[in-house]
Amino acid sequence: MRNNKGLSYVRGGHTNSEEPLVYIIIINYYGRELLRRCLESLRKTRYNNYRVLIVDNGSKDGSVEMVREMFPEVEIIALPRNLGYAKANNFGILYALKHGAKYIVLLNNDTEILDPLWLHLAVKIMERHEDIGILGLNLILPNGRSQQYSDKTKPWEVNEVAFAAVMIRSCVFRRVGYLDPEYVIGYAEDTDFCWRARRCGFKIIYVPQIKMFHIRQATFKLFPHIVFIISARNGFRWLMLNNSLSGFFKWLIMAFIGVKDGKIKLRKDTRRFKSITYGFIVYFKEKGFRGFTRLIIEGLRRRIKKPCI
């Protein structure tokens, strides 16, 4: 692999039964129809050694019953209530590690595969480049555009990838830990985990050739009123934990000042500043002074010491 310049991409044929074990973990919450379409899509996957695990967050819409009836090959962890995205994924990750997974794919229930060889290709890259810890896939939105890194045409080393469709080497979890459950519901956990993984020396590669259809925020459309609140709250937590002091002040300045046509101009729209201010208010109300103090201490600890187990 060439540092920061991408890596070779090889399309191969179907491999044999000695392929590494991959666990595909899908979190579901009141997404019966989305989940059905996702699982039907996964059945087209041409890879001999993978298992699908559904972690259901207490859905009462028949999702679990549908999976048991229509997809008997799929493993299920049915949680009694909604524990959030991070905690539910951590249940699945621990289960996959216990059952010998070499690679773990975190997949949203609002995704569908576009290439039957997607898993084979992802594993092939990971097997050839052991320094890669996280492999991000190309999420194609309903409008046909890429959700992230639309300018990339070949595998590229990046700072973070969206966890709507991502492959993670099992040893990453053993060194870095798991998703931070303090990021409630499903915003910023992926950014936080990628930051910690990079600090532990793992590379993150985005592969535009491996495409996955993604509706995006399908579950959150059920609860549109909470999206801004959660994103602001979690964004504030990430900023306090991971951004350097200089990065924080840079972010603060850029909330008011922008560059257009080579000229520095004051921003008329200060949504970024409003978001982080609101995030602070929400977080402080939720955690109180003691919880806020713990957040500051944890942020200092992360900046001093590598977050590796």
Side-chain angles (χ1 to χ4, degrees):
M1 184 174 65
R2 300 183 297 276
N3 187 32
N4 293 323
K5 294 182 181 291
L7 56 85
S8 60
Y9 176 82
V10 181
R11 176 179 289 272
H14 198 47
T15 57
N16 57 39
S17 59
E18 295 180 357
E19 295 165 326
L21 175 61
V22 179
Y23 255 89
I24 301 173
I25 300 172
I26 304 172
I27 308 303
N28 181 69
Y29 181 62
Y30 283 89
R32 185 181 185 278
E33 183 59 23
L34 289 170
L35 183 60
R36 182 189 65 77
R37 290 170 54 184
C38 179
L39 292 176
E40 285 182 347
S41 169
L42 283 175
R43 277 180 168 170
K44 302 174 185 176
T45 298
R46 290 177 57 190
Y47 187 84
N48 290 327
N49 197 19
Y50 77 95
R51 300 175 187 174
V52 179
L53 172 66
I54 304 299
V55 182
D56 185 82
N57 257 329
S59 303
K60 305 298 180 184
D61 64 345
S63 292
V64 173
E65 292 77 9
M66 179 273 296
V67 173
R68 288 173 176 162
E69 179 181 349
M70 298 182 62
F71 304 94
E73 74 277 13
V74 172
E75 300 169 43
I76 304 175
I77 296 176
L79 300 175
R81 59 187 177 87
N82 185 6
L83 298 183
Y85 176 83
K87 281 188 178 181
N89 261 309
N90 289 342
F91 268 97
I93 292 164
L94 286 167
Y95 182 94
L97 293 176
K98 181 180 178 180
H99 288 78
K102 183 173 183 180
Y103 301 107
I104 293 175
V105 172
L106 303 183
L107 195 65
N108 279 14
N109 65 354
D110 60 350
T111 57
E112 297 176 33
I113 70 167
L114 297 174
D115 182 355
L117 289 175
W118 73 278
L119 192 55
H120 168 68
L121 298 173
V123 170
K124 194 164 189 176
I125 292 175
M126 296 290 267
E127 289 286 283
R128 289 190 174 188
H129 305 277
E130 294 185 358
D131 55 345
I132 300 176
I134 300 175
L135 196 74
L137 310 187
N138 187 356
L139 299 166
I140 304 298
L141 301 175
N143 61 11
R145 297 180 180 177
S146 295
Q147 179 177 321
Q148 54 183 346
Y149 305 115
S150 57
D151 60 322
K152 304 303 181 188
T153 58
K154 60 182 179 180
W156 205 266
E157 184 173 357
V158 295
N159 291 331
E160 62 182 270
V161 290
F163 278 14
V166 64
M167 174 175 283
I168 303 174
R169 200 179 295 272
S170 292
C171 65
V172 176
F173 294 109
R174 295 189 176 98
R175 286 195 60 198
V176 176
Y178 305 99
L179 302 189
D180 184 349
E182 288 297 323
Y183 291 101
V184 296
I185 297 187
Y187 274 98
E189 299 95 334
D190 46 10
T191 301
D192 179 84
F193 189 88
C194 287
W195 183 90
R196 288 187 282 142
R198 287 175 58 241
R199 285 205 67 196
C200 288
F202 292 103
K203 289 186 177 180
I204 302 171
I205 299 297
Y206 168 71
V207 185
Q209 290 88 347
I210 305 178
K211 299 178 181 180
M212 185 79 64
F213 177 72
H214 185 211
I215 296 177
R216 194 180 189 186
Q217 296 185 350
T219 300
F220 282 107
K221 289 177 182 178
L222 300 172
F223 315 99
H225 58 288
I226 68 171
V227 171
F228 174 76
I229 297 174
I230 296 302
S231 60
R233 183 254 189 219
N234 286 359
F236 173 76
R237 176 177 172 80
W238 186 90
L239 191 67
M240 295 299 293
L241 284 179
N242 300 319
N243 216 336
S244 64
L245 188 61
S246 60
F248 176 81
F249 283 112
K250 180 181 178 182
W251 177 92
L252 191 61
I253 292 171
M254 294 304 292
F256 297 97
I257 299 174
V259 178
K260 187 176 181 180
D261 300 327
K263 298 180 180 180
I264 297 177
K265 295 185 177 181
L266 291 175
R267 293 183 186 272
K268 295 181 180 180
D269 188 351
T270 57
R271 279 180 295 181
R272 179 191 289 186
F273 181 73
K274 290 177 182 178
S275 174
I276 206 65
T277 303
Y278 190 73
F280 163 74
I281 295 171
V282 172
Y283 198 91
F284 195 87
K285 282 184 176 180
E286 175 190 338
K287 298 294 184 179
F289 179 77
R290 184 174 296 179
F292 182 68
T293 302
R294 283 198 296 265
L295 177 65
I296 295 174
I297 294 172
E298 174 63 17
L300 291 173
R301 188 192 68 81
R302 282 197 184 186
R303 289 170 176 86
I304 296 170
K305 184 180 178 181
K306 283 188 176 182
C308 302
I309 296 176

